[in-house]
Amino acid sequence: MASGRLGELEQLLLMALLRLDGEASGIDLRQELDARAGRSVLPGAVYTVMERMVDRGLATSFTGDATPERGGRRRKYYRMTPDGERALAASYRQVRRLAEGLGERLGRLAEEG
Amino acid sequence: MSGRRPPRWARRIVEAVVGGPHREWILGDLEEMYAARRGNGPPTWATLVYLGWGLGSGAGAAWRSVGAGARGDVGSALRQLRSRPRVYLAGSVVLASGLGVAVFVWGIHHGTFGLGLPVSEPDRMMALRRVEPRGGGVHDHFSRQDLERLRDAPGLRGMALWGARTITLVDGSGPPVRAETLQASPAVFELLEARAHLGRLLLPSDADPESPRVAVLEHGFWERRYEADPGILGRTVRVDGLPTEIVGVLTPGRTLLSGRQFEQIYLPLGERDDRDARSYRLLARAAPGLGPEEVSARLAGMGGRLDPAVGLRAVPFAHSFGSWSEDAYGRVLSLTGALLFLLAVANVSNLFLVRATTRSREMAVRQALGAGRLRILRQLAFEAAVPALLGIVGGALVAGLALDWYQAAEELYVGGQLAPWREYRLGIPHLWLLAAGAVASTIAVSLVAGVVELRRGSAEALRGGRGATTRFRLGRGLVAVEMAVGGALLLLTALTVRSGWNLHTVDWGFTREGIVTGRVVLGASGYETDEERIAFWRTLEEEVAGAPGIGSVSLSTQLPMIRYGGPTWEESRRIEIEGLSVPLGVPELPVHYVNAVSPGFFETFQSPLAAGRGFTGADRAGTEPVAVVNADFRERYFAGSSPLGRRIRIWLEGEAGPWRTVVGVAPHLWMDSDENRRPEGVYVPLAQAAPREASFAVRAADDGPGLPALLRETVEGLDPGLPVTDLMTMSEVIRLRTRLYRQDAPLFISLGLTAFLLALAGTWVVVSYLASRRAPELAIRAALGAGRGELVRRSALSTFPPVLAGAGGGMILGLIMVRGFERHIFQVDPWSPAMVAATFLLLVAASLGAGLLPALRAARVDLRRVLGDAG
């Protein structure tokens, strides 16, 4: 059972993983984060955070095949676990509760920002 | 897909900086990002982004691993960078250029001279050399018998003999060609871990006299010559007229000996070949853990097995290809890189000295507010490290891009013929070494300056006291170092520029336009008698001359600017002059070039004789032997008198030829090729020499592509088994022979100018610094009536002694470096006092000029402002 709350990058990465059907490689996660959230992070940060979540039981990992595009190296894939889904849902609930009634103001702030 | 990968130099940098448990995934992601970004566009931008992400990944990991205190210092250093961007960026740019150029030059040096063999343990591959007694020199010529005698030599795990030669190949796949062969004892394949792409490699039994003759092809030659025909195995070709079966093709992308050795065909060396001929070199694999010194020590005394008192020495195989001049040039290249780096570090050190001065009050305030000395010094160290790190990143970029450019330029220059092993790589160990040196030296200078300021004490600093004599001395010392380095490299630049000028204005002594040349070798078999050879050459000349559009034709054993034959040939041509040569025996006679030419030689080159007559059809075998000497020969041996009618005799391999009457004097026609060190030479009629090989020169109204074909067809019509090689125009001959002078000239000129500018920048910084320190003194002098001129003179001349000393030292250093540079400059006396004096004066004048601007500024002093500032 996972314990503790999710950090900001953990939330974003789990969200990206969910968008990618619960299974994605490190580079896919990074690209999704960049494309959807406009958040550009170093490849090393993705792996550091994802491995921490693997240790906490929020995700599992496995390696793919080596490809020429990667200079003969293999990809590392992550899959969300039920604990990961629960942690993300809990985190999302928190944010949603906190944002209740703020929809209009937050929308305005987002447009201004 | 390898073309979609980042350049190797960039990968080496990124792989060196990215670490940690996720290294492999990160590196894979970075390459994938590169491949996606590159698409079909130019790779440079994608490479820069790849490097940016790679370095960022490395820095990110490093950032996470440092403590909070250090992060604070880095943050403070970055704030300094933002507040004084010009100073720090100038330091970074200077360091990047020095470090980048050094790594670039060392990369060229490695690609040119430090070639390793593509084997699993290249450091164990050695070349053996004979050390002759009584100063007889060091040679690398061994015989089969020598190999047998050294078979059980200690410290070695296998040996093979090898030698290179050119053969005539007749194979039915086009006209006969001259091909480069490597003849080696079959053990060489095992020693060098070679594998066969097709068929098999050579076996020891292939060298037996009873075995059929066999050969193995180099992969590229098989592709080009035989269009990668898999049916090549078993085909019989003729090698120098002897039937030889092709039994294998080597794996692609490599040759056996990865030096500047072109290999197309491999032939076995063994019992068939002369046992005593010292015509081969010896390759050996050292026992594990032994270097050249250890192997040489174990071989002590083994040389006696070859000849009494002969010694043996092992050298790294990669070094065994270079001649002395190449080795020396390599050392000059390496030294140039090191000097430029030193110059950049000296410049940056100067900048930090100045920077420390301007911050003395700030440090004093911080000290007064309770900051410890160590805390302040640590912050200074971080502040120095930031521009140093930026300089390192910039330097790696400069070096990587420059090496890419150099490799592309060289491939363009030689028409894509660059050997596959010849790669100009970014040396990561060099980069780390210089990076460590750059960081250490900038931090050290910054700390020294900081310690000096802190020792003065806060009260004195706040009062504005002046007394940093340590920095004065250090600053002047750095100017001297910069002048020495800048001067040495400027001297090499001046020689290169002069060389280029000479090349541009040289009088070749003949008209090269409209001439096509080529060479025919009669081969090892056939044409046994003088009469047969003379008849062949005469017929060839007549056939070519009779073709439409041909103006004139000549045959000669040598061409202007081309020297055929090696040392053995040269040694065998000794000239005896009747009445002049002292009869001390043949070994004491002078050695000069001898060119056997047909009657049309001087006419074809449009080079009229200076006196007497040339050869005619009447000068043939059986008539009076005649000779023509060149103007250089006349100057040397007949100064003040005419050589016409005098007699000379040519000694060939210890035997005297007939006395020849001198009938003419030819102009200087570059008989010693571009080197022109021994220009004296003698011409004899081709019909009185009957050589086995000769070059033709044809002057035609149209020297277009049709002419080479005509020449090939003419030779083939006379003898289908004879190849025509070296077909090129005379302009191409000259371009080829002078390539060495032009190849690295832009490199040396740009390196020299960079050094010059850096040295001037160093002077400028130090004069600015000294002038600012002396502002109160200058202001008082001005108040007491000193003129502006005097103030300018005092400031500008403040660096005069170190400039003079440094420039003088630079000239000495330059003259030492010139020794390895001589072969790369065309017709320039590197020891010319005028050249050295001019360079010295230019350097001193320019450095004084560089100091003039800050001196003029310093002379506009205002006593009240300066003293107010000080107080």
Side-chain angles (χ1 to χ4, degrees):
Chain A
M1 176 68 191
S3 63
R5 296 194 178 111
L6 294 180
E8 187 218 4
L9 193 53
E10 287 174 333
Q11 274 184 41
L12 291 174
L13 282 169
L14 282 181
M15 197 80 85
L17 195 55
L18 193 67
R19 291 195 72 87
L20 295 167
D21 298 329
E23 184 179 305
S25 67
I27 191 168
D28 290 338
L29 285 171
R30 191 186 157 278
Q31 281 168 353
E32 187 70 11
L33 219 55
D34 193 10
R36 289 274 171 185
R39 178 80 179 263
S40 191
V41 293
L42 289 166
V46 172
Y47 290 108
T48 303
V49 173
M50 286 310 297
E51 288 299 312
R52 198 162 62 217
M53 290 202 284
V54 168
D55 291 342
R56 290 169 59 192
L58 304 177
T60 57
S61 67
F62 63 96
T63 49
D65 294 330
T67 61
E69 293 89 347
R70 297 176 66 81
R73 297 183 183 87
R74 293 185 296 175
R75 271 187 170 196
K76 184 143 192 178
Y77 288 88
Y78 294 95
R79 188 179 290 145
M80 200 185 290
T81 62
D83 278 354
E85 288 171 353
R86 276 192 286 278
L88 182 62
S91 181
Y92 179 64
R93 274 196 300 274
Q94 280 179 349
V95 172
R96 207 171 51 182
R97 277 201 298 271
L98 205 58
E100 246 171 53
L102 296 175
E104 194 180 324
R105 285 171 66 186
L106 283 173
R108 200 167 57 245
L109 286 172
E111 278 174 20
E112 286 168 9
Chain B
M1 285 303 288
S2 60
R4 291 278 177 236
R5 296 190 71 188
R8 184 182 291 215
W9 64 266
R11 292 205 308 266
R12 286 167 68 85
I13 291 176
V14 170
E15 285 167 10
V17 299
V18 173
H22 314 307
R23 183 173 182 272
E24 284 305 294
W25 316 120
I26 296 171
L27 292 176
D29 284 2
L30 292 172
E31 287 214 22
E32 207 174 328
M33 286 154 64
Y34 171 87
R37 183 172 288 275
R38 171 150 178 208
N40 294 317
T44 308
W45 179 241
T47 303
L48 291 177
V49 173
Y50 168 79
L51 271 175
W53 280 112
L55 295 172
S57 296
W63 181 254
R64 282 191 291 274
S65 66
V66 299
R71 286 189 205 188
D73 286 327
V74 173
S76 160
L78 290 174
R79 280 194 295 281
Q80 281 293 328
L81 182 68
R82 277 200 296 273
S83 69
R84 295 269 177 175
R86 274 189 300 180
V87 174
Y88 284 95
L89 286 180
S92 302
V93 168
V94 167
L95 206 54
S97 45
L99 189 142
V101 166
V103 176
F104 165 59
V105 169
W106 287 356
I108 294 176
H109 178 248
H110 180 269
T112 311
F113 302 101
L115 305 163
L117 285 169
V119 294
S120 50
E121 292 175 280
D123 293 345
R124 284 176 61 192
M125 303 311 298
M126 308 275 166
L128 296 195
R129 285 182 168 167
R130 292 165 59 96
V131 184
E132 301 292 340
R134 296 181 297 280
V138 180
H139 307 285
D140 49 10
H141 303 303
F142 292 88
S143 67
R144 281 183 44 233
Q145 191 178 40
D146 293 339
L147 178 65
E148 288 162 15
R149 288 171 173 167
L150 296 172
R151 187 71 72 185
D152 58 346
L156 299 177
R157 297 285 182 273
M159 276 187 282
L161 275 182
W162 66 275
R165 66 187 174 97
T166 312
I167 52 99
T168 299
L169 179 70
V170 182
D171 55 6
S173 297
V177 288
R178 299 284 286 166
E180 303 300 328
T181 65
L182 185 80
Q183 191 179 18
S185 34
V188 79
F189 290 97
E190 189 186 338
L191 270 179
L192 295 175
E193 301 167 10
R195 286 181 294 119
H197 174 70
L198 279 184
R200 65 173 177 86
L201 301 177
L202 298 178
L203 304 170
S205 58
D206 290 331
D208 292 343
E210 295 78 24
S211 304
R213 291 177 184 271
V214 294
V216 167
L217 300 180
E218 187 264 328
H219 192 276
F221 185 66
W222 170 63
E223 283 186 323
R224 289 189 301 275
R225 178 82 181 166
Y226 304 105
E227 297 173 341
D229 177 12
I232 189 74
L233 299 183
R235 188 192 292 189
T236 299
V237 299
R238 297 186 86 81
V239 172
D240 275 342
L242 299 165
T244 305
E245 185 189 341
I246 305 295
V247 295
V249 176
L250 209 63
T251 44
R254 72 161 293 182
T255 58
L256 277 190
L257 300 172
S258 299
R260 277 141 286 161
Q261 181 72 53
F262 281 100
E263 302 158 21
Q264 295 172 321
I265 301 176
Y266 300 96
L267 298 173
L269 172 66
E271 292 297 321
R272 272 196 204 101
D273 303 284
D274 187 352
R275 190 161 173 263
D276 302 323
R278 289 212 164 105
S279 313
Y280 308 100
R281 299 213 231 174
L282 199 44
L283 164 76
R285 181 187 283 274
L290 297 187
E293 298 300 324
E294 290 85 0
V295 173
S296 297
R298 282 169 172 72
L299 290 175
M302 292 292 292
R305 291 191 186 180
L306 311 183
D307 273 322
V310 160
L312 283 176
R313 184 188 299 166
V315 295
F317 189 78
H319 296 179
S320 69
F321 280 102
S323 63
W324 180 88
S325 65
E326 286 171 328
D327 284 349
Y329 180 63
R331 282 195 291 274
V332 170
L333 262 183
S334 295
L335 188 59
T336 302
L339 288 177
L340 269 162
F341 176 68
L342 181 69
L343 188 55
V345 167
N347 254 291
V348 174
S349 302
N350 263 339
L351 270 179
F352 278 103
L353 279 180
V354 175
R355 180 85 188 107
T357 310
T358 60
R359 298 186 61 195
S360 57
R361 286 191 187 194
E362 177 202 329
M363 278 191 271
V365 169
R366 292 189 59 192
Q367 210 173 0
L369 291 174
R373 286 186 173 198
L374 277 179
R375 181 76 189 77
I376 293 174
L377 289 177
R378 197 175 81 175
Q379 188 192 330
L380 284 178
F382 272 93
E383 285 175 15
V386 167
L389 289 173
L390 285 178
I392 290 164
V393 172
L397 272 177
V398 167
L401 291 172
L403 283 169
D404 263 8
W405 165 80
Y406 191 83
Q407 176 129 7
E410 186 157 315
E411 279 170 358
L412 193 70
Y413 201 81
V414 299
Q417 297 280 312
L418 209 62
W421 57 84
R422 196 174 173 111
E423 185 188 25
Y424 299 107
R425 281 187 304 177
L426 185 77
I428 294 296
H430 294 154
L431 190 59
W432 281 130
L433 178 74
L434 295 185
V439 172
S441 53
T442 47
I443 288 178
V445 168
S446 199
L447 289 182
V448 167
V451 166
V452 169
E453 290 298 336
L454 290 172
R455 273 194 187 161
R456 288 170 60 204
S458 53
E460 192 190 342
L462 290 170
R463 273 201 313 273
R466 305 284 190 263
T469 41
T470 309
R471 283 200 313 272
F472 275 84
R473 286 199 201 109
L474 196 55
R476 285 193 171 119
L478 287 171
V479 165
V481 169
E482 289 169 13
M483 281 295 127
V485 174
L489 297 185
L490 189 64
L491 183 59
L492 298 191
T493 301
L495 293 172
T496 310
V497 170
R498 179 72 212 207
S499 163
W501 176 253
N502 288 350
L503 214 50
H504 184 65
T505 57
V506 65
D507 176 13
W508 295 110
F510 58 90
T511 312
R512 53 186 159 155
E513 289 77 20
I515 294 184
V516 171
T517 68
R519 193 155 181 88
V520 177
V521 180
L522 294 182
S525 55
Y527 304 99
E528 301 297 339
T529 65
D530 285 1
E531 289 73 24
E532 284 177 301
R533 292 195 292 274
I534 291 168
F536 175 83
W537 297 125
R538 192 177 55 240
T539 314
L540 176 62
E541 192 173 10
E542 286 168 2
E543 293 263 330
V544 174
I550 301 296
S552 58
V553 183
S554 77
L555 284 160
S556 54
T557 49
Q558 311 280 314
L559 284 171
M561 290 294 281
I562 298 189
R563 235 173 12 200
Y564 290 101
T568 312
W569 187 91
E570 288 177 24
E571 289 303 316
S572 66
R573 262 69 174 175
R574 294 184 179 278
I575 311 289
E576 184 178 357
I577 304 165
E578 192 177 42
L580 275 186
S581 301
V582 182
L584 290 174
V586 178
E588 302 301 323
L589 292 173
V591 175
H592 292 299
Y593 291 101
V594 176
N595 191 0
V597 301
S598 67
F601 183 80
F602 298 108
E603 181 197 340
T604 303
F605 285 97
Q606 295 181 342
S607 187
L609 267 69
R613 67 167 176 91
F615 302 129
T616 67
D619 297 316
R620 57 182 189 274
T623 63
E624 182 196 11
V626 290
V628 166
V629 298
N630 71 4
D632 306 277
F633 194 93
R634 177 179 64 180
E635 291 301 313
R636 178 157 173 185
Y637 296 108
F638 302 100
S641 64
S642 170
L644 300 182
R646 302 287 292 272
R647 297 208 304 167
I648 61 172
R649 185 158 66 166
I650 300 163
W651 288 74
L652 291 170
E653 294 166 0
E655 286 185 21
W659 284 106
R660 294 176 179 274
T661 305
V662 177
V663 295
V665 178
H668 172 74
L669 284 177
W670 302 87
M671 290 186 88
D672 192 25
S673 186
D674 50 294
E675 288 185 51
N676 204 28
R677 287 183 187 169
R678 291 186 298 165
E680 304 88 0
V682 172
Y683 295 87
V684 297
L686 191 85
Q688 291 181 352
R692 291 203 73 85
E693 54 189 279
S695 293
F696 49 76
V698 178
R699 180 174 290 283
D702 172 23
D703 61 351
L707 193 52
L710 168 78
L711 297 169
R712 277 190 204 284
E713 284 164 15
T714 308
V715 173
E716 199 177 318
L718 289 174
D719 185 339
L722 286 183
V724 180
T725 59
D726 304 337
L727 263 172
M728 56 185 117
T729 65
M730 203 58 209
S731 298
E732 286 170 335
V733 168
I734 289 180
R735 203 158 49 240
L736 195 71
R737 297 304 309 176
T738 56
R739 184 187 143 183
L740 191 64
Y741 307 112
R742 285 177 283 118
Q743 186 178 335
D744 283 343
L747 174 72
F748 264 95
I749 289 174
S750 41
L751 292 182
L753 290 180
T754 306
F756 182 55
L757 292 176
L758 283 177
L760 295 188
T763 309
W764 182 80
V765 167
V766 170
V767 171
S768 301
Y769 164 66
L770 294 178
S772 74
R773 305 304 292 172
R774 296 176 66 186
E777 176 205 327
L778 294 176
I780 290 168
R781 284 182 186 278
L784 292 176
R788 192 154 175 243
E790 188 193 336
L791 300 182
V792 170
R793 200 169 54 247
R794 279 182 179 277
S795 284
L797 291 181
S798 58
T799 54
F800 195 57
V803 162
L804 272 188
M811 294 306 106
I812 294 169
L813 181 61
L815 286 172
I816 293 170
M817 290 173 77
V818 152
R819 283 202 71 208
F821 203 64
E822 285 170 288
R823 187 66 189 89
H824 289 250
I825 44 178
F826 181 68
Q827 302 296 294
V828 183
D829 174 14
W831 313 98
S832 153
M835 182 71 81
V836 175
T839 310
F840 177 83
L841 290 176
L842 172 67
L843 188 65
V844 171
S847 64
L848 288 179
L852 206 56
L853 200 65
L856 281 169
R857 202 168 51 224
R860 286 197 293 266
V861 286
D862 177 347
L863 183 62
R864 276 179 307 175
R865 185 176 58 80
V866 170
L867 294 182
D869 278 357

